[in-house]
Amino acid sequence: MMEGSAWLPLWLSISVWDESFWLPLNVSRAQLEDSQNPVYPRLKDLYFILPWTWAIYVLRLLFERFIATPFAKFLGVDCRPIQKAQQNIVLEKVFKDITTEPGKNHLTRLAKQLDWDTHRVIQWFKLRRYQDKPSLLTKFCESMWKFTFYLWAFSFSFYYLSKSPWLWDSRECWYNYPFHELSNEVYIHYMMEFAFYGSLIFSQFFDVKRKDFFVMCIHHHVTILLLTIAYVANMTRAGTIVLLLHDAADVVLELAKMANYAKWQKLCNVFFLMFAVVFIVTRLVIYPLMSIRSIFFESWEIIGPHKIWGFINLLLITLLIMHIYWSHLIIRMVFKAFHKGKVSKDDRSDVESSSEDEDQPEQNAHAKTL
């Protein structure tokens, strides 16, 4: 007889491949797959996600090189290459194998070993730490790409959703479910979101590293999983609303970053405060009261018990917990902004202040002495 714990993987494997896990009772996958008019989401559509993802990633590379970079130069973003530390085998070994910030005694020993003064060793480590950071140009191009995508996604989704009844009455997401026709607009929207977040999962290891890296990694995977569930189970109507709410704040966030990298501090402050308001309203108010409430209560009321119901709500609540975490950081940033007169970098998850680049001129000056 199998132990109780061994039943769990077996139950999960059976459930995931079972039609009843994804669809309501008395509804088969064939009813959706074989329909020609109207057309519903099909499993074979997911095969196109990988080509879409690579297409989006290549488009990003072209966009950053031929559009974002010239625009950054036009705005006066600092495009100078980052000053590199003088090559030194001894210090490089210490930097890579021991510590990037040696203590006072360690610095003294290194200075004697190299016949340098301590200040020169300190400046070498400062410069070496700085050269591993992405340049302002790199940050600006990344933000401009994300801003462009989020602006397109929000505008496109709001355009077609404003003519859709389920945006104004969330119960429409569940009437006659799952027989909701897949329109061209919804298909394009989903494929683009799949491709965008798929490319971020790949590129996050090369993009600007921030202190919420692991939270963002979880966020991207949860988003992909939610998109997949919504598409396979044809909960696309509810999914489009969730996407709309999430893209709204990201548009303003990337604007704040771009203004920050261009050294437009007052404009950065304005955009960041706008972002804080939009983020809290859309993700801590509308999202739980509209999206989570609809999927948690209205779907149960209209379509009845559903095996995937608990899993999808767990993922939605996971997103909400991350929103609460980010909101905590954002609110702290707002208070500091009012106190200091500008947005600082200390508590934000993914909006760095240009203050982190203020050490560069000093480092460049010292670099000339090395």
Side-chain angles (χ1 to χ4, degrees), residues 29 45 61 80 128 137 178 196 211 237 270 319 330 337:
R29 171 60 54 186
D45 294 340
L61 296 179
R80 293 173 298 171
R128 182 63 182 84
L137 177 61
F196 179 73
K211 63 183 180 182
R237 291 186 176 184
V270 171
L319 277 182
I330 290 167

Side-chain angles (χ1 to χ4, degrees), residues 18-32 176-179 233 306:
D18 187 359
E19 286 187 351
S20 64
F21 179 76
W22 297 93
L23 299 170
L25 295 175
N26 302 320
V27 178
S28 68
R29 171 60 54 186
Q31 289 176 272
L32 303 182
N176 197 36
Y177 173 83
F179 299 104
H306 196 184

Side-chain angles (χ1 to χ4, degrees), residues 147 150-152 154 246-256:
F147 163 75
Y150 290 131
L151 180 62
W152 171 86
F154 178 79
H246 283 69
D247 288 337
D250 289 329
V251 173
V252 193
L253 171 62
E254 300 304 332
L255 272 177

Side-chain angles (χ1 to χ4, degrees), residues 8 10 19 39 55 80 89 119 122 126 137 152 162 202 221 231 276 313 325 328-329 331:
L8 182 59
L10 178 61
E19 286 187 351
V39 174
R80 293 173 298 171
I89 297 175
H119 182 71
I122 292 173
K126 282 186 177 180
L137 177 61
W152 171 86
S162 63
F202 168 74
H221 283 84
Y231 198 83
N313 276 289
Y325 163 74
H328 166 70
L329 298 178
I331 291 171

Side-chain angles (χ1 to χ4, degrees), residues 202-247:
F202 168 74
S203 67
Q204 66 183 339
F205 299 101
F206 310 101
D207 289 339
V208 177
K209 294 293 189 300
R210 300 184 174 96
K211 63 183 180 182
D212 66 342
F213 172 81
F214 291 106
V215 178
M216 287 302 297
C217 186
I218 295 172
H219 173 270
H220 297 337
H221 283 84
V222 170
T223 301
I224 289 288
L225 191 54
L226 277 171
L227 285 169
T228 303
I229 292 173
Y231 198 83
V232 173
N234 200 16
M235 295 183 179
T236 52
R237 291 186 176 184
T240 54
I241 296 176
V242 173
L243 290 171
L244 177 72
L245 292 174
H246 283 69
D247 288 337

